[in-house]
């Protein structure tokens, strides 16, 4: 009995020491998005061949993952991250950036399913604009 309680306490302590903070979780989730986005970028820039089915799968993956990091910006999670206080003090603006980004990701997914390279280029560029706009307003310098 005593030893199983000790084991339980040890496991719970390890969990709290090893678990990611919200800031760490969202960084990992943004990096996951970036993997799909950059793979598509090599095609859009003409460095890799356009394989419509592969590209459409990447766009679908981006769409499935795009909202995830935004669920990990709880109030009080600014420490040890590049997140600016404005994320919470001007939260409507931040939410607006998020909504625009997600709409543009949907548009890219639709263009990819339609195998429409002209539309893909436009929506890909619009997403990159979303990244930049949100970073300019809400992401501080690297630490
Ligand atoms: C990327 C990336 C960003 C955006 C931004 C677009 O690939 O990592 O933050 O695109 O640079 O302007």
């Amino acid at each position: 009995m005593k030893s199983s309680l000790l084991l339980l306490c040890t496991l719970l302590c390890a969990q709290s020491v090893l678990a990611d903070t919200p800031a760490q979780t969202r960084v990992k989730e943004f990096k996951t998005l970036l993997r799909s986005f950059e793979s598509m970028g090599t095609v859009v820039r003409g460095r890799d061949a356009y394989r419509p089915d592969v590209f459409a799968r990447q766009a679908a993956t981006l769409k499935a993952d795009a909202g995830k990091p935004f669920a990990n910006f709880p109030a009080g999670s600014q420490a040890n991250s590049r997140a600016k206080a404005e994320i919470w003090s001007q939260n409507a603006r931040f939410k607006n950036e998020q909504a625009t980004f997600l709409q543009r990701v949907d548009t890219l997914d639709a263009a990819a399913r339609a195998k429409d390279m002209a539309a893909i280029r436009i929506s890909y560029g619009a997403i990159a604009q979303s990244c930049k706009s949100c970073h300019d307003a809400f992401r501080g310098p690297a630490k």
Side-chain angles (χ1 to χ4, degrees):
M1 180 60 184
K2 249 190 203 159
S3 65
S4 58
L5 268 180
L6 186 63
L7 179 64
L8 182 65
C9 289
T10 307
L11 290 173
L12 288 175
C13 286
Q15 166 69 20
S16 63
V17 169
L18 298 174
D20 282 339
T21 63
Q24 289 169 324
T25 303
R26 67 194 180 227
V27 166
K28 285 183 181 172
E29 290 167 335
F30 278 125
K31 284 183 176 167
T32 299
L33 302 189
L34 201 56
R35 273 202 295 277
S36 312
F37 191 64
E38 290 193 328
S39 296
M40 288 186 276
T42 61
V43 175
V44 168
R45 287 189 288 272
R47 285 170 213 261
D48 275 331
Y50 175 46
R51 291 189 291 273
D53 293 337
V54 173
F55 193 94
R57 273 201 294 280
Q58 289 166 334
T61 300
L62 179 65
K63 179 173 162 157
D65 293 339
K68 290 179 183 172
F70 299 102
N72 283 300
F73 283 91
S77 65
Q78 198 188 344
N80 301 315
S81 88
R82 295 172 69 179
K84 287 191 184 174
E86 284 81 354
I87 289 171
W88 298 280
S89 66
Q90 300 180 22
N91 194 246
R93 270 184 64 212
F94 182 67
K95 285 264 158 47
N96 193 51
E97 289 284 0
Q98 173 185 335
T100 302
F101 168 68
L102 294 177
Q103 271 168 19
R104 290 171 173 179
V105 168
D106 282 0
T107 304
L108 177 63
D109 176 64
R113 279 186 284 112
K115 303 178 181 174
D116 179 347
M117 186 40 82
I120 286 171
R121 274 183 211 293
I122 291 167
S123 48
Y124 187 90
I127 292 171
Q129 261 312 112
S130 261
C131 299
K132 181 173 182 349
S133 169
C134 196
H135 290 161
D136 287 350
F138 295 110
R139 184 174 70 163
K143 291 177 177 169

